[in-house]
Amino acid sequence: MKYIDEFNDPQLARKLLDEIRATVTRPWALMEVCGGQTHSIIRHGIDQLLPEEVELIHGPGCPVCVTPLEVIDKALEIAARPGVVFCSFGDMLRVPGTDRDLFRVKGEGGDVRVVYSPLDALRLAQRHPDRQVVFFAIGFETTAPANAMAVHQARRLGLDNFSLLVSHVRVPQAVEAIMTAPACRVQAFLAAGHVCSVMGTAEYPELAERHRVPIVVTGFEPLDILEGIRRAVHQLERGEHRVENAYPRAVREEGNPAALRMLEDVFEVTDRSWRGIGLIPLSGWRLSPAYRDYDAEHRFDVTGIRTEEPAECRAGEVLQGLIKPTECAAFGDACTPRTPLGATMVSNEGACAAYYLYRRMNGAPPQAAPAARGSRIPREGEEARTAPEERNPVA
């Protein structure tokens, strides 16, 4: 990839940190609404480098983590049926359902396959007309256009053996739910750049004005995040509450018009439950009536499943930013990536997984990570940990 090193530059990071320190005069709490940003923050030690007045709260920014337990159980039910090829991205296979996960179903003989795109699943349906091919369509607004395109193509091709199990969620409604919660401490948001690259920024000014919180659209590299924090702190110190785009290389105010048209055609807005949080009105998508025949939930009649989360798992509080992962008694003991109680411990974007991988227990420093993308930003006086030959080459 081009230009990655520029967004990991330790000297520029120190300048941004110095400006944040020079600006902040009182405590502020900021929430990042993206699991990718959470992992970058913990991996690079950004939260430990900030002045103590600036607290980062990890939000419900992991779509795998917020996929409801009942939807996971529906996936397990469908995947175990004869004649079904169940396709999913790899990070869903270890997410625990009530009593098993997709890996267990695969081990018991279910045809569960990891794919890299919903179009891979579509091609499987073309090659195996005698099998029912189901794609697990989860995610925020980022992954929704590709899933919409897959089912649009299935209808165009006349494939009646392809369907989606849909659990798409929408970020602005989650921000609204967080801000109206009684225990909310969030004073500013770092909005997810990949979501805004699809949807644009039009949904955020009303939120910023109504709740009087700055919202800064931010990328995922260390300098992206620090620049987002810098802008948010400046607004907080000045008493402002605007939407700012700190990720202009990927985000436009209008978003991606072609993707938005596809979403409008294939999906319709619906209420959606978020794992560990509960029902958030108008926070999800489902297939529109024109595409309802491709809805796996109805095709396989798995609409009546009811579930209950394990009592010892506090992932819901982690997702709401009420506790840090290490404040859960099960963290690193009863709950590990090999024995997860909740999705936040196994997802590539889960906050618990980030703390386990890079920080482990309370007070422990981040583990050294290889390559430029994995190294935390060196503190003043430290040598950069990445050797020149280990850095990502500029194409």
Side-chain angles (χ1 to χ4, degrees):
M1 295 177 67
K2 291 185 177 182
Y3 313 125
I4 289 297
D5 283 353
E6 288 88 334
F7 293 93
N8 287 270
D9 188 314
Q11 292 185 350
L12 292 176
R14 291 189 190 108
K15 289 180 180 179
L16 288 170
L17 286 163
D18 287 344
E19 186 169 346
I20 293 168
R21 290 190 189 98
T23 302
V24 67
T25 63
R26 50 183 165 153
W28 300 111
L30 286 64
M31 175 177 279
E32 80 275 3
V33 193
C34 171
Q37 291 171 347
T38 300
H39 270 249
S40 188
I41 287 165
I42 303 305
R43 183 177 192 173
H44 295 275
I46 290 173
D47 57 331
Q48 296 180 323
L49 296 172
L50 290 168
E52 62 181 12
E53 294 88 352
V54 179
E55 178 188 3
L56 295 181
I57 300 174
H58 315 310
C62 166
V64 172
C65 302
V66 301
T67 301
L69 182 58
E70 59 265 27
V71 174
I72 301 297
D73 280 2
K74 289 172 184 178
L76 298 171
E77 165 84 12
I78 294 170
R81 294 194 182 184
V84 169
V85 179
F86 194 88
C87 300
S88 172
F89 296 137
D91 53 1
M92 292 301 300
L93 269 64
R94 287 296 308 280
V95 176
T98 298
D99 56 9
R100 54 182 176 167
D101 56 27
L102 285 168
F103 263 131
R104 174 70 62 84
V105 172
K106 184 177 177 68
E108 292 171 351
D111 193 348
V112 178
R113 306 191 189 189
V114 174
V115 295
Y116 296 96
S117 163
L119 296 177
D120 292 342
L122 190 68
R123 284 188 284 271
L124 281 171
Q126 290 178 289
R127 292 200 300 267
H128 301 283
D130 58 325
R131 310 286 298 279
Q132 285 290 328
V133 177
V134 181
F135 179 73
F136 202 177
I138 67 112
F140 293 139
E141 296 93 329
T142 321
T143 57
N147 294 334
M149 174 59 75
V151 76
H152 176 84
Q153 288 286 82
R155 191 176 71 163
R156 186 181 67 81
L157 295 169
L159 294 174
D160 60 3
N161 65 324
F162 177 80
S163 58
L164 299 181
L165 179 61
V166 180
S167 186
H168 276 299
V169 289
R170 305 169 66 219
V171 170
Q173 288 68 31
V175 171
E176 175 73 24
I178 289 165
M179 290 307 301
T180 54
C184 177
R185 298 188 299 111
V186 179
Q187 296 164 294
F189 285 92
L190 304 181
H194 49 28
V195 169
C196 293
S197 69
V198 174
M199 303 301 294
T201 59
E203 295 179 277
Y204 291 103
E206 183 182 352
L207 282 171
E209 180 64 30
R210 183 163 63 252
H211 297 291
R212 303 185 68 80
V213 292
I215 299 177
V216 182
V217 180
T218 311
F220 309 93
E221 300 300 328
L223 295 189
D224 287 324
I225 294 169
L226 286 171
E227 173 62 8
I229 294 168
R230 184 191 71 82
R231 294 193 189 201
V233 168
H234 269 281
Q235 283 200 50
L236 289 167
E237 290 285 337
R238 294 170 182 168
E240 299 173 351
H241 46 274
R242 295 178 288 105
V243 176
E244 286 191 69
N245 181 9
Y247 197 39
R249 68 184 187 275
V251 172
R252 302 290 180 268
E253 183 180 357
E254 68 276 12
N256 184 323
L260 292 173
R261 286 194 296 271
M262 180 61 66
L263 292 173
E264 186 176 1
D265 176 43
V266 173
F267 291 120
E268 64 180 8
V269 173
T270 186
D271 300 342
R272 182 70 72 187
S273 290
W274 294 51
R275 187 169 190 171
I277 298 174
L279 183 71
I280 301 178
L282 306 178
S283 67
W285 277 313
R286 64 183 177 190
L287 290 170
S288 66
Y291 293 88
R292 196 58 50 81
D293 288 344
Y294 296 91
D295 188 337
E297 189 170 339
H298 294 282
R299 179 175 292 189
F300 294 92
D301 190 23
V302 289
T303 56
I305 292 177
R306 296 292 180 267
T307 58
E308 187 174 340
E309 293 281 357
E312 64 270 33
C313 180
R314 301 181 68 186
E317 294 169 84
V318 172
L319 290 167
Q320 296 174 71
L322 300 177
I323 64 170
K324 295 288 194 293
T326 48
E327 295 176 66
C328 175
F331 176 83
D333 184 11
C335 184
T336 71
R338 288 186 176 274
T339 59
L341 294 177
T344 50
M345 183 56 88
V346 292
S347 169
N348 290 334
E349 295 188 348
C352 296
Y355 273 71
Y356 188 91
L357 181 60
Y358 301 118
R359 192 156 303 165
R360 298 304 294 272
M361 298 301 183
N362 269 326
Q367 297 176 4
R373 288 176 61 87
S375 303
R376 66 178 176 86
I377 302 165
R379 296 179 186 271
E380 190 70 40
E382 282 187 329
E383 294 289 335
R385 295 180 183 272
T386 307
E389 63 272 13
E390 293 177 322
R391 293 177 181 159
N392 294 327
V394 177

